[in-house]
Amino acid sequence: MPHKKYYTSIENIAGFDVCPGIHTLIGATPMGYAVNFTIHSSKATSCSLVLFRNTETEPAAIIPIPPDYRIGNTWSIMVFDLDIHEYEYCYRCDGPYDPKKGLLFNKDQNILDPYAKAVTGQRVWGVKTGSDYHGRIVVDQFHWGKFMVPDIPFTDLVIYEMHVRGFTQHKSSKVKHPGTFAGIIEKIPYLKDLGVNAVELMPIFEFDEMAEVRDVDGWQLLNYWGYNTTSFFAPNTSYTSQIEHNHEGDELKTLIRTLKENGIQVFLDVVFNHTSEGNEDGPTFSFKALDNSVWYMLTPDGKYFNFSGCGNTFNCNHPIVQQFIIDCLRYWVVEYRVDGFRFDLASILDRNEDGAPMENAPLLKELAFDPILSKVKLIAEAWDAGGLYQVGSFPSWSRWAEWNGRYRDELRCFLKGDSGQAWCAVQRILGSQDLYDPATRGLNATVNFLTCHDGFPMWDIYSYNQKHNERNGWRNTDGSDCNNSWNCGFEGETKDPHVNGLRIRLVKNAFVTLLCSRGAAMFLAGDEFCNTQFGNNNAYCQDNEISWLDWSRLPKFREVHDFVRDLIKFRKHHPVMRHDTEECSFGFPSTSVHIGGIPWNACIQEDTRCIGIMYAGKDDKDCDDVIYLCINAYWENVPVTLPALPDGWHWSIEFYTNLPHISGQDCNDLIHREGNRIYPAGRSAVIAVAKQHK
């Protein structure tokens, strides 16, 4: 940027040399000798830039933006010689005040810039430092270097969902920087060895964990999960191990770069369905004060629609909000090199400004075709708290995938032995093509999962019949009552070896099912070593050992961990499990169903609990590759006849969940077998591979 001496329109306001800014450059942008500030509001009558010295609560300067610096609904001002290391900023806007019309202007209200790249007052986790939020001007000097971005097809994904703080906060993690981005970096060798190729970070946009902080029986409860965004362009500063003054985001960028260097993509869980301003009883600090009737869905009397269940609903298909969301996602892709996004309660993004579902929501279509976002994964949680459930019908344009909630619900039922679930189980394992048209969406639509942050972790699915959320302070009324879980005969933790043995087998059955299903696979961090939430299925407020990963369980459940690690490796080595390949020489179809232990039998009965699925094709070396998956959800052993193979071939048992897992162990002599007939134990799973005789 040229020196200010070349500008002829400079004037001095409140002690600062200023001139009209660049109106198309939204937010606060350092430009050498000056900082460009731009903001827009459709109903404001005036706007002032407010500057604060670091950590101070009283303004150092209030700069009214002259009327002639306004073009349309946009104010833009360039401030010269501003020391960005010394100052923070916000805005004040005047305008009409009429709550019944959704107008909440207050000329004395400090307004956090929606485009702020960093937010003050949030640095220390669990400490509330003030009532106002200020923006900080960020300088991007991060060097990404040259490295190959991992290009991972959707069907090859094994996604590991984690909470940044909870992943390493427990003392058993033994990292130098617990609860931070740096703590995750220390655990990358673990993730690489496990074999996951994508991490999905629960919300890392700036949020206020102290919102609605409360004490229950001596326990401080916070908004731990972070689904209450304060600022969409700013990373959560309390997740960094060191202060990053004016360089916010560097530690997160280092984490992303290091993960990618190790072949692991990074997805962000984003919350565009609501904000932390809440309803009419909530705080006002940004969107409400700037343009309340634009940013939120309002009822005719100025109240807040609540399709999010969190007080307000973002007005996603208003053109201003739509552009904001696109700008935000582009920023995270360009500046942070993010590989994908999971959209919380994404059905809200499909609602009109009056809350009604739309045929083809413009926001979803824009995101699907945006050139900057063209290579990132777009994953919808295809429902909302207002009852709009779109699993299998979320608008896609062959770009949007979905968290497959039906996969979770139906396979949980099947795996614990419920009747009438076998047909659904087969459909889900084979990629849910009854939900997703193979011709248009194929296997790129379904993210298969049995666990996520919301609900029981894997161990708890087989340890609890009911939720145990008493410590949340709502008398156990919060959280879902439908967990499709089974405690194996004892509620909660036990030392009974028979109960624990059954639970371990069921956990391994679940992982076999998940990792042998077509579509992307996802599981919750810690599931691989049987982490527990002690029966809490809604741990959103628990910043303690209920939510933190207890790494001391890793040596205790090392066998399960190694089983999962080897299963992920097996999945990677056999592409026929993930998608159709060239036809194998046996003449077998690419997928086939074998019900009740009878080869080629596709007849499913109400009481069917034993299913077989065979994948056939070529591997990456153009060799025949045939995999047989048997899941026996019945409580007794079932005779299973494996399909006949050509001369010179035999079935080799590679995984059998009824055995303690030892890497590289030959299972063939450890399962009851008579030629091509095997007898899987009750509640067990088997993976067999066709091999040539030596």
Side-chain angles (χ1 to χ4, degrees), residues 459 463-464 490-495 503 532 534 553 556:
W459 181 255
S463 299
Y464 296 91
F490 186 90
E491 188 74 359
E493 294 293 304
T494 178
K495 294 182 180 179
R503 288 174 177 174
T532 179
F534 309 100
R553 292 175 75 91
K556 181 179 179 181

Side-chain angles (χ1 to χ4, degrees), residues 186-236:
E186 295 179 64
K187 289 289 188 182
I188 287 178
Y190 170 84
L191 297 174
K192 188 173 182 180
D193 177 71
L194 181 61
V196 296
N197 54 22
V199 295
E200 183 172 299
L201 303 178
M202 289 174 64
I204 56 90
F205 294 177
E206 193 69 81
F207 64 88
D208 183 6
E209 72 277 1
M210 299 301 289
E212 301 178 2
V213 62
R214 53 200 170 92
D215 185 274
V216 174
D217 298 330
W219 293 88
Q220 186 184 60
L221 303 185
L222 310 179
N223 201 309
Y224 167 77
W225 278 353
Y227 290 92
N228 63 329
T229 310
T230 295
S231 183
F232 290 83
F233 284 76
N236 191 347

